[in-house]
Amino acid sequence: MFACDSSTHEVQRGEVINVYSNTLTSTDKALFTTFERASGIKVNIISETANLLMNRLIQQQQDSMLADLILLEGISYLQQAKQAGLLDTLSQGSIVNTIPVHLRDTNLQWLSLGYSANVIGYLQDSVDTLQVRRYADLADPQWKNKLGWGTKTKAIYQSQLAAMLADEGEDATTRWINGLAENIISTNNSPPSAARLSTISDTSAWLGLINTAEYAKSIDGNKPGSPGLVFPSPEAYLHITGVAITNSAPHPARARLLLNYLFSREVIQQYANMHYLYPARPDAEVPPRVSRLGEFRADTTSQTDIARFADEAERLLNSSGWR
């Protein structure tokens, strides 16, 4: 599965490799079982919230446990790592070529492992879905005090805004996020921008932007009262998880070995199953609970181009009242 690099690295039992991630947890340890058994290398997962992790990565020259490989959810965090000069350049080869061009860095500093889609959630029997076919429809004044944020994850909204900035420009994107801020539910006479719902399943919300991974993980679409999903027209924007090797990796050969393992069809499929994602490899199977959500047309704008708008997306998000 990952023997192609074994000739460059003579494995010694007891060796370790450090993986920094804002999405892996101890429950994901099973993902690396085959790798550890076959290679004799122990995978050490360092898991933090995104902000703590990025601070640690940027200051990692002072860290006694340097990162070999990073696995990050959110294009904004991959961009931060790239801008900070933390990432090594991957060799062009069979592993890189398994990932579609729009899902990998144009400078080959990271590869997408999987992605989810940002879609429209709606309260069934309360919303005519013909009125909510596009992202822009969520900002229509007719939905004032009927909109839920739909997620707790700021990175998802940031990736959404970055994709819109790349696709539609600053003026249209600014109008859209401000329209959402005007429409979200107000509670206790607070301004709308202060009200945030954890999920669209809150019965006081009629509509919201929701992520397919969040939906597949926590919501049973067949259960009465559950929100329905609309995949937006003409295409849905993506929220990616990416993998990179650090340029200060203390064990670069081991990092390449683990990268090859993670992007094998079987393992990328396993990761997608564990995290309710669409695998970045087109030849890997989509998890059943995700595929049941329906088919959609995915945005194919280069994630590298989208990443360039990450800082502007964060500024817009903060100015709209997201806290």
Side-chain angles (χ1 to χ4, degrees):
M1 187 181 295
F2 53 94
C4 54
D5 271 3
S6 60
S7 61
T8 66
H9 175 67
E10 185 177 346
V11 171
Q12 301 294 322
R13 293 285 157 175
E15 291 181 341
V16 299
I17 182 170
N18 298 318
V19 178
Y20 280 50
S21 179
N22 68 336
T23 182
L24 290 175
T25 67
S26 58
T27 60
D28 293 300
K29 188 66 178 174
L31 184 71
F32 303 103
T33 300
T34 301
F35 176 83
E36 290 182 327
R37 287 176 179 169
S39 69
I41 300 170
K42 180 181 182 296
V43 178
N44 185 30
I45 299 173
I46 295 90
S47 180
E48 301 275 10
T49 61
N51 289 334
L52 288 175
L53 190 73
M54 293 309 303
N55 288 337
R56 185 167 179 177
L57 284 167
I58 291 169
Q59 298 300 322
Q60 68 174 335
Q61 65 271 17
Q62 302 172 14
D63 200 318
S64 61
M65 194 157 50
L66 296 178
D68 290 295
L69 188 143
I70 58 176
L71 197 160
L72 298 172
E73 177 196 341
I75 188 63
S76 60
Y77 302 123
L78 291 166
Q79 178 70 355
Q80 282 182 47
K82 182 177 178 179
Q83 287 178 325
L86 299 176
L87 307 184
D88 197 6
T89 300
L90 305 173
S91 299
Q92 182 78 47
S94 58
I95 291 297
V96 168
N97 292 335
T98 63
I99 305 302
V101 173
H102 69 285
L103 293 175
R104 63 190 196 224
D105 180 49
T106 54
N107 301 122
L108 296 186
Q109 292 197 319
W110 52 259
L111 301 175
S112 299
L113 192 65
Y115 60 89
S116 51
N118 296 333
V119 298
I120 298 170
Y122 68 96
L123 191 64
Q124 299 190 58
D125 301 324
S126 298
V127 174
D128 179 358
T129 56
L130 292 177
Q131 295 179 302
V132 285
R133 305 305 301 175
R134 305 172 67 91
Y135 290 119
D137 296 330
L138 294 175
D140 192 301
Q142 70 173 309
W143 305 118
K144 188 174 180 65
N145 284 328
K146 294 182 172 65
L147 193 69
W149 274 113
T151 181
K152 294 178 180 178
T153 307
K154 182 178 181 180
I156 291 174
Y157 279 94
Q158 197 166 343
S159 66
Q160 173 75 13
L161 289 178
M164 294 184 78
L165 284 163
D167 190 32
E168 301 184 30
E170 183 176 358
D171 289 346
T173 305
T174 301
R175 287 195 299 271
W176 183 78
I177 191 61
N178 288 340
L180 258 62
E182 289 295 320
N183 284 349
I184 62 175
I185 293 170
S186 175
T187 58
N188 299 323
N189 297 319
S190 299
S193 60
R196 294 193 305 276
L197 303 178
S198 60
T199 68
I200 186 66
S201 59
D202 186 298
T203 55
S204 59
W206 289 29
L207 282 171
L209 186 72
I210 194 167
N211 182 264
T212 53
E214 177 186 72
Y215 187 96
K217 179 180 180 179
S218 59
I219 298 173
D220 181 357
N222 295 318
K223 185 179 179 181
S226 295
L229 287 187
V230 172
F231 285 99
S233 176
E235 56 193 16
Y237 294 130
L238 308 181
H239 181 66
I240 70 166
T241 295
V243 179
I245 296 173
T246 67
N247 58 13
S248 58
H251 316 109
R254 299 176 208 172
R256 291 193 295 271
L257 202 64
L258 184 56
L259 183 84
N260 286 347
Y261 172 79
L262 284 170
F263 283 91
S264 64
R265 188 168 64 87
E266 295 85 351
V267 177
I268 205 171
Q269 216 164 265
Q270 184 183 356
Y271 182 83
N273 269 292
M274 295 169 80
H275 292 271
Y276 305 95
L277 299 177
Y278 298 90
R281 278 186 65 149
D283 61 342
E285 293 183 10
V286 177
R289 189 155 178 170
V290 176
S291 64
R292 284 197 294 268
L293 300 180
E295 296 182 356
F296 69 102
R297 179 181 172 186
D299 176 40
T300 56
T301 303
S302 167
Q303 288 291 321
T304 305
D305 292 338
I306 290 171
R308 296 190 182 106
F309 292 94
D311 292 343
E312 177 65 9
E314 182 174 25
R315 185 192 67 76
L316 284 180
L317 197 55
N318 290 337
S319 66
S320 74
W322 205 106
R323 290 187 290 275

